[in-house]
Amino acid sequence: MSIENSPSAIVEAVRADRERIFQELSEVVAFNSVHGDPELADQTAGSAAWVAARLEGLGLSVEEIDAADGSHALVATRPAAEGRPTVLLYCHHDVVPAGPRENWESDPFTLTERDGRWYGRGAADCKGNIVMHLAALRAAFAADEDLGGTGITVVVEGSEEQGGEGLEDLIDKRPELFTADAILIADTGNFAAGVPTLTTTLRGGAQLVVRVDTMAAPVHSGLFGGAAPDAVFALARTLDSLRDEDGNTVIDGVDTAQEWPGHPYPAEDFRRDAGVLDGVALAGGPDVKPADLVWARPSIAVTGLTSTPVDKAVNAVPATAQAKLNLRVPPELDPADVAGKVAEHLKNHAAYGARVTVDVVETNPGFAADPQAPAIATLKEALADAYGEEEAVEQGSGGSIPLTASLSAAHPDASIALFGVEEPTCLIHSANESVSPDEIERVAAAEALFLLRYRG
C-alpha cells in the first residue's frame, strides 16, 4: 500500500492502523520483561524475540545481542544510500516490576481499554514507544519505500530500567553500531496530552548516602533522653540546612537560582501532575515557578531513611542514622563536583557537632540538545504538523537518561532529540500505567514525517 507524502495523509494512515497498534501493544505488554530477575528470563527473551520479529517484518536486518549485563539488546538496520544520512531510533523493551496486583484495576499484562486509554505495564514506558516506532516506519515506508536513501537503525535496549549497563558497554565496545546523523530517543513525552513537545535538557545526578553518629551506642531514653544527642534529630536538622525557609534547595558554593527559559510549567498543572494534596504548599514559596525548580536548578530528595524500624522500636535514644539522597543538577553543572559540595555542606552544617560521613555512590551527567540543529528543527516541525499546531513546545526533564551522554560522546556530530508517547497522566512506574492511543498515533505520524523530510 502506498500513501501520499503529506501531513494529513500520514496522520490518517497511522490512525487507520489503530487496530494493529492495539494488537501489537497487547502482545508486547503481555511479556513481564523485568531485567535481572532469573525467574523472568523467559519473559525478557520472549519480549526481545517479539520485537526482533516485528523489525525483521519491516525489512530490517536484526542482530540480537546478549549484552554484558545479561540483557537482550536489539540493533536493526537498513543501510543508507551513498551520501545519505542515517537516523537511529531508540526505545527499550524492559519494564519495572508491576508491584502488588491488588493495586491494579486490571491485569497489568493484559492491555485493557478504559475511558479511551490503554492500561498495562509498559503501555507508555516504553513499549508504547516500540509500537510507535513500528507504526511510524510502516507509514513512512508506505509513502516512500526507500526514504530517499536515508538509512535506518533501530536500537531496542533490554535493561534501561535497571541502569542500562549492557548498552553502555556495547556503545563503548562497538560504537559503529550506533553511527548516525540524527538520534531520536523515544523515552520521554509531551508536556501534556495533545501538546507536541521536544525535551531539550536532562538533569544529571548523583546518589549519596549520609551517616550521622552522635554516641557510641543507643542509650535509655528515660535515663538520658533530653540531653543525649539524638542522631535522628541531628540528621533531620543537618538535612534541613539544604533548604531555605521557602523550601528552595541551597548548597554552599553552588548556584541554585537558575531560571528555565522555555515553556512554563504552571503551578496548578504541576500540583495536578504530581498529585499534591490540597492545602500542601509547593516547595519554592508563594511565587514558585516549577519549571525553574524541576528543569533548571539543582534539587535534592531524601529517598531513604534508616534508624530503628518502628516495629522494633525500644525506649532508647538512637546513636546513628542514615539517609540516601538523590541529587539532580542541570546539564551545565558537573554532578560529581556538585555532589562533592553537597558532602562538604552537610559536614559543615552538622547539627550538635555530630560526626557526618557522606559517600557519593554514583554520578551521571546531564544533557542539553541544540534546538537549532537541522534534525531537531525538522522533528519539531514534524511534531507540530502531526498535531495540527503552530509549533511544538520545548521542555526540560528533571530525570536523567545516561544513554544520551554516552551516545553524544561516541558520536559527537550526531544530533540527539528526545520525545515520545508519555505525558503526565500515564503514571509510568506506578500501578495503572496507561497510554493514550491518540498520543501513539500523533507521535508516530510525527516520526514518519521526520523520516520523510530529514536529509541530513
Side-chain angles (χ1 to χ4, degrees), residues 251-255 341:
I251 306 166
D252 291 347
V254 178
D255 180 9
K341 289 177 178 175

Side-chain angles (χ1 to χ4, degrees), residues 354-378:
R355 295 181 183 178
V356 175
T357 57
V358 183
D359 293 324
V360 179
V361 180
E362 65 178 72
T363 63
N364 56 273
F367 171 78
D370 177 8
Q372 306 306 315
I376 308 297
T378 299

Side-chain angles (χ1 to χ4, degrees), residues 157-180:
E157 187 175 5
S159 62
E160 192 275 343
E161 300 291 8
Q162 304 300 325
E165 294 180 3
L167 198 65
E168 296 279 338
D169 179 73
L170 193 60
I171 293 171
D172 182 58
K173 292 180 178 177
R174 298 182 62 186
E176 73 283 355
L177 291 176
F178 306 89
T179 300

Side-chain angles (χ1 to χ4, degrees), residues 204-230:
Q207 305 285 345
L208 303 91
V209 175
V210 184
R211 174 173 172 146
V212 168
D213 292 286
T214 57
M215 297 178 291
V219 296
H220 192 283
S221 60
L223 296 175
F224 301 102
D230 186 314

Side-chain angles (χ1 to χ4, degrees), residues 34-38 41 44 65-74 90 92-94 156-171 173:
V34 176
H35 168 67
D37 185 340
T44 57
I65 301 168
D66 291 327
D69 62 358
S71 64
H72 300 275
L74 303 169
Y90 166 89
H92 62 87
H93 69 90
D94 66 308
V156 186
E157 187 175 5
S159 62
E160 192 275 343
E161 300 291 8
Q162 304 300 325
E165 294 180 3
L167 198 65
E168 296 279 338
D169 179 73
L170 193 60
I171 293 171
K173 292 180 178 177

Side-chain angles (χ1 to χ4, degrees), residues 137-398:
L137 288 169
R138 285 194 294 269
F141 291 161
D144 182 354
E145 187 173 356
D146 68 359
L147 301 180
T150 295
I152 297 293
T153 298
V154 182
V155 174
V156 186
E157 187 175 5
S159 62
E160 192 275 343
E161 300 291 8
Q162 304 300 325
E165 294 180 3
L167 198 65
E168 296 279 338
D169 179 73
L170 193 60
I171 293 171
D172 182 58
K173 292 180 178 177
R174 298 182 62 186
E176 73 283 355
L177 291 176
F178 306 89
T179 300
D181 299 277
I183 299 173
L184 274 54
I185 296 179
D187 196 17
T188 59
N190 288 337
F191 175 78
V195 180
T197 309
L198 270 180
T199 298
T200 55
T201 67
L202 300 170
R203 288 193 295 187
Q207 305 285 345
L208 303 91
V209 175
V210 184
R211 174 173 172 146
V212 168
D213 292 286
T214 57
M215 297 178 291
V219 296
H220 192 283
S221 60
L223 296 175
F224 301 102
D230 186 314
V232 176
F233 274 111
L235 175 61
R237 291 206 167 193
T238 301
L239 294 176
D240 189 52
S241 70
L242 292 166
R243 296 290 182 100
D244 67 15
E245 61 183 12
D246 286 325
N248 293 291
T249 300
V250 290
I251 306 166
D252 291 347
V254 178
D255 180 9
T256 59
Q258 298 93 331
E259 296 183 354
W260 173 251
H263 191 69
Y265 199 163
E268 59 272 21
D269 291 348
F270 182 87
R271 294 184 67 89
R272 180 197 63 233
D273 296 343
V276 179
L277 300 179
D278 290 345
V280 178
L282 299 183
D287 298 321
V288 61
K289 295 181 179 179
D292 294 343
L293 275 64
V294 300
W295 297 337
R297 298 179 184 176
S299 69
I300 298 173
V302 180
T303 56
L305 191 67
T306 302
S307 180
T308 305
V310 170
D311 61 353
K312 293 181 173 59
V314 296
N315 294 327
V317 179
T320 187
Q322 293 186 86
K324 188 168 186 179
L325 308 182
N326 176 243
L327 169 70
R328 303 282 182 168
V329 300
E332 65 269 18
L333 297 181
D334 178 359
D337 176 67
V338 177
K341 289 177 178 175
V342 170
E344 287 304 308
H345 175 110
L346 292 168
K347 293 173 184 177
N348 292 336
H349 291 266
Y352 317 136
R355 295 181 183 178
V356 175
T357 57
V358 183
D359 293 324
V360 179
V361 180
E362 65 178 72
T363 63
N364 56 273
F367 171 78
D370 177 8
Q372 306 306 315
I376 308 297
T378 299
L379 180 58
K380 190 174 180 181
E381 181 182 75
L383 280 163
D385 287 348
Y387 278 82
E389 299 290 342
E390 287 294 321
E391 62 178 359
V393 303
E394 296 178 12
Q395 71 174 0
S397 172

